[in-house]
Amino acid sequence: MEDPAPAEILLVDRDPQLGRDIVAFLEARGHQVEWVDDGEKAYNRLDSRPFDAVITELSAPRIDGMRLMAVARDRNPEICVILLTEQPDIERATEAMRRGAWDFQLKPPNLEKMEAVIQRGVGRQRLVFEQVELKRRLDEQYGLGRLVGKSRQMIKVYNAVRQIAPTRATVLIQGDTGTGKDLIAQAIHNSSPRRDAAFVKLNCASIPEALVESELFGHVAGAFTGAVRARMGRFELADGGTLFLDEVGELTPALQAKLLRVLEHQQFERLGDSRTMSVDVRLIAATNRPLEQMVGDGLFRDDLYYRLRVVTVDVPALRHRREDIPLLVDQFIADACRNNGKQVEGITRNAVNVLMRYDWPGNVRELKNIIEGMVVMARGGGLLDVHDVPDHLRRSVQPDVGEIRIPSGVSMAEVERIVIEETMKTCGFNKEQCARTLGIGLRTLYRKIKEYDIR
Ligand SMILES: Nc1ncnc2c1ncn2[C@@H]1O[C@H](COP(=O)(O)OP(=O)(O)OP(=O)(O)O)[C@@H](O)[C@H]1O
Ligand SMILES: [Mg+2]
């Protein structure tokens, strides 16, 4: 048998004695317990990191146990929720179990039973996780493989890709720059029956307006000045396959009209040619501009918009799925080592914590570039650490009020050293932020850093 898995548990209870008992009991069994006394604090904790289990009073202040359970299950659909109540209430207990609670106990709870329920809950989560992992490995053969991320939002994206791929419906992928729209378009094509035919891409923003039309539809010799020879357009190239139109919001009104016609009839003419050509093309469009608003402002044809967004995939910004950051970081470290002939063993937890608190305006692309830079600059071997994270990034992260562990039996000076060192780490070594967090003057901080030889 495997060792029982330790769980990360959030406990919500006002009763100091009971709270202490529960924490002591569960920690003695190797679990990690974070204890708060009201539902609102619990709500904030749920947003800040993943938990395996939540133990909450049914009547927790501010946000009650039932609502908290709904929030927790939204963050982690498999989370193990245990509700505690003062009074026996069969009706609410049944209701809670129906809504996905793992257990409902009258206070004072039976701690042995509580622990057993948590064990079962964590075991089940591990199983589900393995299934997701298995599916991901299978997907690798079919093209979803380059997409990394296990957040709820990304799993939604994978499911959408799987559902959309076999059809020939037009797809509109929306998301901020660097969120992975290109990769998703590729994944749709690679998982579709068209995977052996061409995946042709045209970025509407990167070529001069006057050329977009001939790029799309091709032209005959002499169609316009400079058109010496006849040329095939992307629609023809993509016949039988997929055409990916990136930055579709940049198309001029005239081209929007032409595109609409191709979508409706799968027909078009080369520039300067009167013959109509028929093609069988699946179109995937992407945009990082708010198309809906552009329609409202009269900048984008509404009929084309409705035609494009038959199916939409919304790719969330990286800061809204921070739990994907560690996985992406590992992937990008491995990639960067391979591409640059470097050897880096990995990255410290502190450094990952800094990366997780940054807002990533450039999303996954920015993260990839930052990691590549860190790997290239690393002095060889070992783990990447906080000081390898570029200064500008460390300066702009919010300090995290994490917990600091202080062993018993140390001197006050040692306590001070530990507190300063840990706070420096969580502030990304930004001394001003650290001094502010500690409530001491900057000069005092400098003196202590020197005194304790903190680097
Ligand atoms: N989920 C992901 N897993 C692994 N790599 C990713 C993921 N998302 C994005 N990337 C990588 O990040 C970079 C940017 O992704 P991509 O080009 O697909 O973004 P985009 O949304 O098309 O950006 P833009 O709007 O600027 O065109 C690429 O190098 C891509 O491989
Ligand atoms: Mg792109």
Side-chain angles (χ1 to χ4, degrees):
M1 259 265 312
E2 269 180 87
D3 279 345
E8 306 238 359
I9 303 166
L10 181 63
L11 167 66
V12 193
D13 204 302
R14 275 165 294 182
D15 179 344
Q17 184 57 48
L18 179 63
R20 268 198 299 275
D21 288 350
I22 296 179
V23 172
F25 184 87
L26 292 174
E27 291 203 331
R29 300 287 175 104
H31 303 295
Q32 277 192 17
V33 188
E34 198 172 322
W35 175 20
V36 294
D37 59 6
D38 78 35
E40 193 179 307
K41 285 181 198 149
Y43 178 89
N44 289 330
R45 295 312 298 154
L46 283 171
D47 262 345
S48 72
R49 70 181 180 93
F51 286 95
D52 305 310
V54 174
I55 304 167
T56 175
E57 292 178 278
L58 183 59
S59 57
R62 287 194 228 273
I63 299 179
D64 78 25
M66 287 291 224
R67 267 197 62 206
L68 205 57
M69 172 162 76
V71 174
R73 283 174 52 86
D74 179 61
R75 306 294 184 269
N76 169 5
E78 303 301 327
I79 200 163
C80 171
V81 179
I82 298 175
L83 291 156
L84 306 178
T85 177
E86 314 264 343
Q87 276 126 25
D89 182 341
I90 303 277
E91 214 166 283
R92 294 208 80 189
T94 319
E95 175 67 9
M97 301 304 267
R98 202 180 57 75
R99 292 207 214 164
W102 278 70
D103 200 11
F104 194 93
Q105 287 205 33
L106 204 58
K107 282 187 182 182
N110 174 340
L111 297 181
E112 288 284 353
K113 179 171 174 236
M114 181 183 272
E115 211 262 337
V117 170
I118 290 171
Q119 279 300 340
R120 244 188 314 125
V122 174
R124 184 181 143 90
Q125 283 174 58
R126 208 193 261 175
L127 219 81
V128 170
F129 188 75
E130 276 163 11
Q131 268 169 8
V132 171
E133 180 61 26
L134 200 73
K135 224 178 193 171
R136 198 183 69 81
R137 278 197 221 134
L138 278 176
D139 282 338
E140 224 156 272
Q141 300 161 19
Y142 296 103
L144 278 183
R146 284 173 58 204
L147 285 163
V148 175
K150 291 203 174 110
S151 58
R152 192 172 40 94
Q153 295 98 316
M154 282 310 285
I155 288 179
K156 230 165 114 184
V157 169
Y158 304 149
N159 288 338
V161 168
R162 257 185 236 113
Q163 262 190 317
I164 296 165
T167 73
R168 70 183 305 268
T170 301
V171 183
L172 178 62
I173 306 174
Q174 312 187 89
D176 291 348
T177 181
T179 45
K181 298 185 294 297
D182 271 64
L183 224 48
I184 290 166
Q186 281 267 4
I188 295 174
H189 173 77
N190 292 347
S191 332
S192 81
R194 296 170 177 258
R195 71 176 77 94
D196 295 325
F199 176 76
V200 177
K201 181 179 161 177
L202 181 71
N203 185 327
C204 307
S206 69
I207 44 177
E209 211 177 286
L211 289 183
V212 176
E213 184 168 8
S214 82
E215 285 294 332
L216 276 176
F217 306 116
H219 59 76
V220 294
F224 51 87
T225 329
V228 183
R229 250 166 286 158
R231 195 159 172 235
M232 206 189 229
R234 309 279 163 116
F235 264 106
E236 277 174 77
L237 279 171
D239 195 12
T242 306
L243 176 63
F244 175 42
L245 275 190
D246 206 357
E247 314 272 3
V248 73
E250 305 298 322
L251 286 179
T252 59
L255 277 173
Q256 291 175 25
K258 288 201 170 157
L259 180 59
L260 181 64
R261 182 174 156 236
V262 190
L263 289 181
E264 281 176 345
H265 306 292
Q266 297 275 322
Q267 283 183 342
F268 63 92
E269 289 89 31
R270 285 186 178 181
L271 257 77
D273 200 347
S274 56
R275 280 171 306 166
T276 299
M277 319 198 83
S278 293
V279 283
D280 166 26
V281 170
R282 189 222 194 130
L283 188 86
I284 302 178
T287 176
N288 53 30
R289 293 180 63 183
L291 272 197
E292 189 166 7
Q293 193 185 324
M294 289 175 69
V295 170
D297 296 342
L299 296 171
F300 201 85
R301 289 179 73 111
D302 57 355
D303 45 8
L304 178 59
Y305 174 62
Y306 297 129
R307 193 72 187 63
L308 287 179
R309 60 138 222 216
V310 174
V311 185
T312 58
V313 177
D314 291 305
V315 199
L318 188 55
R319 66 181 163 282
H320 294 138
R321 47 179 165 110
R322 292 178 194 271
E323 63 267 43
D324 286 341
I325 291 175
L327 296 170
L328 287 163
V329 166
D330 286 345
Q331 176 71 44
F332 294 153
I333 290 177
D335 292 349
C337 285
R338 208 179 37 247
N339 297 337
N340 297 286
K342 297 279 282 195
Q343 273 198 322
V344 168
E345 269 168 38
I347 183 162
T348 64
R349 190 151 177 175
N350 282 330
V352 173
N353 283 342
V354 173
L355 296 175
M356 281 180 84
R357 295 204 310 279
Y358 179 61
D359 263 350
W360 301 109
N363 294 294
V364 184
R365 179 181 297 112
E366 186 183 8
L367 176 63
K368 187 172 178 164
N369 292 339
I370 292 282
I371 296 293
E372 172 138 39
M374 286 168 64
V375 167
V376 168
M377 299 304 288
R379 260 168 265 125
L383 295 171
L384 296 172
D385 205 347
V386 176
H387 56 80
D388 294 309
V389 179
D391 282 343
H392 77 270
L393 199 148
R394 280 194 266 156
R395 270 196 300 274
S396 55
V397 302
Q398 295 302 313
D400 176 41
V401 198
E403 61 171 34
I404 297 176
R405 286 192 184 267
I406 294 173
S408 55
V410 297
S411 66
M412 267 318 270
E414 181 64 7
V415 170
E416 195 172 62
R417 188 192 64 74
I418 294 172
V419 171
I420 293 176
E421 193 168 64
E422 291 305 311
T423 311
M424 282 287 282
K425 279 186 201 155
T426 49
C427 293
F429 290 87
N430 178 330
K431 299 197 181 72
E432 279 168 28
Q433 213 172 52
C434 180
R436 232 180 298 130
T437 308
L438 291 172
I440 59 176
L442 193 55
R443 290 205 358 233
T444 313
L445 180 67
Y446 271 107
R447 183 161 49 73
K448 296 203 179 281
I449 285 176
K450 210 164 154 212
E451 185 180 329
Y452 296 128
D453 192 26
I454 295 170
R455 55 162 265 160

